[in-house]
Amino acid sequence: GEKAKAQAVSSVGEERALLLDLDLIVIQHHLLLLSLHSDWVDTTNCSIVRTELLNESDDCRSTSSYPCLLVFVNIIASGRRVRLHYDEPVVTLSPECFYTPKNQQDKTELLEEAQRIKKTLSDLQGQAMECHISTERYPEDAIMKRRYTMRLALQCLLWPTLMLAGGILLVGLVMLTQCLAHLCAEVTIEGKRGCTVAGVLRAQQE
């Protein structure tokens, strides 16, 4: 009875582990689809032409509580000037600004961070760099970095797939061990042969 309970608990644990691996694969599959259907699929070369740290008194200043860094780039292929943002969420969260702070710091720290980023971008002014554009939905904007890419999605999909394959192999080995143990117990009860794998195989042949 205790052995049967232990086997039942083990079976439940194995099923939950496999379901967890399947859930991870489904999540990563959605991430892969998201990267394939991104609005920012067009990659081109651009160059920074202007960086400006907006003041709170500026008419175009957003109502956000952090310093707004405005960055313009030229699309080299077409010569068109657009606003540059760090990644996709910034375009919707703060359409004017280059980035949004990751955490709420005090005003002085936020200003210093914005000035450091402005200096870094200013040093790149006039140099060709890779950026991503969306000609249909966001024709006046470009982003420096895509948050969801094909490479990232495939990397994230690799580990859950390997875990699932390893889980299936482990469950298969456990089931084989349980089967051999059951056959070995039957042979032992009958008293015909010793509890060995060879004995079990000979018993099956008979």
Side-chain angles (χ1 to χ4, degrees):
E2 294 296 330
K3 184 177 180 181
K5 290 181 181 179
Q7 289 179 349
V9 172
S10 176
S11 177
V12 171
E14 293 163 1
E15 292 176 358
R16 290 181 177 178
L18 290 178
L19 288 176
L20 177 60
D21 290 337
L22 286 174
D23 289 340
L24 289 174
I25 289 179
V26 170
I27 293 173
Q28 301 307 326
H29 180 262
H30 286 306
L31 177 60
L32 179 61
L33 292 178
L34 183 61
S35 67
L36 292 175
H37 293 84
S38 172
D39 293 320
W40 308 91
V41 293
D42 296 329
T43 303
T44 186
N45 289 328
C46 59
S47 61
I48 297 175
V49 295
R50 183 164 68 93
T51 60
E52 181 181 353
L53 193 57
L54 301 182
N55 298 319
E56 295 180 355
S57 58
D58 292 338
D59 294 337
C60 58
R61 174 72 167 89
S62 63
T63 58
S64 58
S65 58
Y66 52 86
C68 181
L69 178 60
L70 187 64
V71 181
F72 283 98
V73 296
N74 270 346
I75 305 299
I76 295 178
S78 62
R80 186 163 51 93
R81 178 173 295 192
V82 296
R83 284 186 301 263
L84 180 67
H85 307 276
Y86 181 70
D87 56 14
E88 299 101 316
V90 182
V91 180
T92 54
L93 294 175
S94 183
E96 299 171 356
C97 305
F98 171 75
Y99 80 109
T100 56
K102 293 182 179 180
N103 48 48
Q104 294 297 327
Q105 309 170 21
D106 62 54
K107 189 174 181 179
T108 302
E109 291 179 346
L110 290 174
L111 182 58
E112 291 176 353
E113 181 183 55
Q115 290 173 341
R116 286 195 300 268
I117 296 175
K118 180 180 183 299
K119 184 180 184 304
T120 301
L121 294 176
S122 297
D123 292 340
L124 297 175
Q125 189 167 335
Q127 301 180 20
M129 55 182 288
E130 185 178 84
C131 58
H132 308 277
I133 57 176
S134 173
T135 54
E136 295 182 1
R137 189 170 181 182
Y138 303 102
E140 302 299 325
D141 299 281
I143 61 173
M144 178 180 289
K145 178 182 178 181
R146 287 182 57 187
R147 175 169 291 188
Y148 305 108
T149 62
M150 174 71 73
R151 181 178 179 180
L152 176 62
L154 292 176
Q155 287 178 346
C156 294
L157 189 62
L158 175 63
W159 292 112
T161 303
L162 293 177
M163 290 174 61
L164 178 63
I168 293 175
L169 178 62
L170 181 61
V171 170
L173 291 174
V174 170
M175 293 177 64
L176 177 61
T177 302
Q178 291 176 349
C179 180
L180 290 175
H182 179 70
L183 292 174
C184 185
E186 290 182 350
V187 171
T188 302
I189 293 175
E190 293 176 0
K192 293 181 179 180
R193 295 178 177 86
C195 183
T196 63
V197 174
V200 172
L201 294 178
R202 286 196 298 270
Q204 287 181 329
Q205 291 176 357
E206 295 178 358

